[in-house]
Amino acid sequence: MPALIFATSNAHKTEEVAAILGSVWQVEDLRAHPGITLDEETGDTFEANAIIKAVSGSRGAPGLLVLADDSGLEVDALGGAPGVRSARYAGETATAAENRVKLKAEIAKLPQNSRFIGRFHCCMVLARDGEVLHITHGSVEGHLLLEEQGAGGFGYDSLFIPDGFSDSFGVLSPETKNQLSHRARALAAMKQQLDSRL
Ligand code: ITT
């Protein structure tokens, strides 16, 4: 199986990408490549940060294909927050649980007579030897909950119900999430580029 380096330290992302691509690609993240270091995510957009991760990661893995994912949750009534700051919403070293507490507190300040519309967004960038080969985006629309529902998934999953469902990503199975998530959609758009390099 050909190797695809996934430039992430988030094992949950790797699990999802491996479940989606795993029969064709050997998906290996930074745990298997401790020598690869990524530049700081200084961009203002998902795309800028995904490019930073893919390009810097690929410089540390000469000749290999490197994929990066920058993603997050956008809540319309919060002006798109937490957005690109999703991983650091409650502070630079915040845990996912602390970020969820902050999100619930911010939503609780809003007028309580509306649905809190939002979406997960993911930008995927494929690079090799410091050059961007392809960029894709995917998103999944839904709404936010005031209280967590379920313990599955990661990050903000337990606070987000995708359109067309009545359960959060914290309750829905990984198989269901991997059919409709922002990450699955960005990867589906990347598929042709990946297939052409098999
Ligand atoms: P890497 O940069 O190492 O890939 P990260 O977790 O810091 O890992 P991001 O900078 O892309 O990655 O931040 C993504 C954050 O957005 C993530 O930590 C979650 O808080 C949230 N997020 C993204 N995708 C998610 C998903 O599928 N389910 C729940 N939360 C998600």
Side-chain angles (χ1 to χ4, degrees):
M1 242 193 266
L4 178 65
I5 313 291
F6 188 32
T8 186
S9 304
N10 184 330
H12 300 284
K13 288 184 180 178
T14 310
E15 205 177 311
E16 292 184 0
V17 168
I20 295 167
L21 296 178
S23 58
V24 185
W25 293 91
Q26 172 76 33
V27 179
E28 299 172 355
D29 67 16
L30 297 182
R31 290 171 297 179
H33 296 271
I36 299 177
T37 53
L38 306 184
D39 289 350
E40 203 185 330
E41 292 174 44
T42 52
D44 291 334
T45 61
F46 295 117
E47 185 168 309
N49 284 333
I51 289 173
I52 289 171
K53 289 188 258 192
V55 167
S56 59
S58 71
R59 290 207 178 101
L64 296 178
L65 283 175
V66 175
L67 185 71
D69 162 318
D70 200 70
S71 48
L73 177 70
E74 298 172 330
V75 182
D76 289 351
L78 296 176
V84 290
R85 294 196 47 81
S86 289
R88 296 160 280 158
Y89 193 38
E92 287 305 314
T93 57
T95 63
E98 288 165 345
N99 287 331
R100 287 193 297 273
V101 168
K102 160 112 173 159
L103 182 64
K104 284 187 284 186
E106 294 300 319
I107 290 177
K109 291 181 201 163
L110 298 169
Q112 294 297 308
N113 56 356
S114 63
R115 247 168 134 240
F116 303 112
I117 294 170
R119 70 205 54 75
F120 277 117
H121 188 85
C122 174
C123 176
M124 290 263 177
V125 173
L126 186 67
R128 188 167 49 202
D129 295 325
E131 276 188 40
V132 171
L133 301 175
H134 200 60
I135 300 175
T136 64
H137 290 261
S139 54
V140 55
E141 298 283 330
H143 68 276
L144 280 301
L145 294 168
L146 276 165
E147 291 303 330
E148 291 175 42
Q149 187 194 85
F154 70 99
Y156 301 97
D157 276 342
S158 56
L159 290 170
F160 180 84
I161 299 193
D163 283 352
F165 292 81
S166 48
D167 290 319
S168 79
F169 271 153
V171 170
L172 294 170
S173 69
E175 291 74 22
T176 300
K177 183 182 177 192
N178 287 340
Q179 275 163 19
L180 60 110
S181 78
H182 50 314
R183 187 159 294 109
R185 288 173 176 164
L187 267 181
M190 187 62 83
K191 188 175 178 327
Q192 205 184 348
Q193 277 293 320
L194 287 170
D195 286 353
S196 72
R197 293 164 203 282
L198 276 170

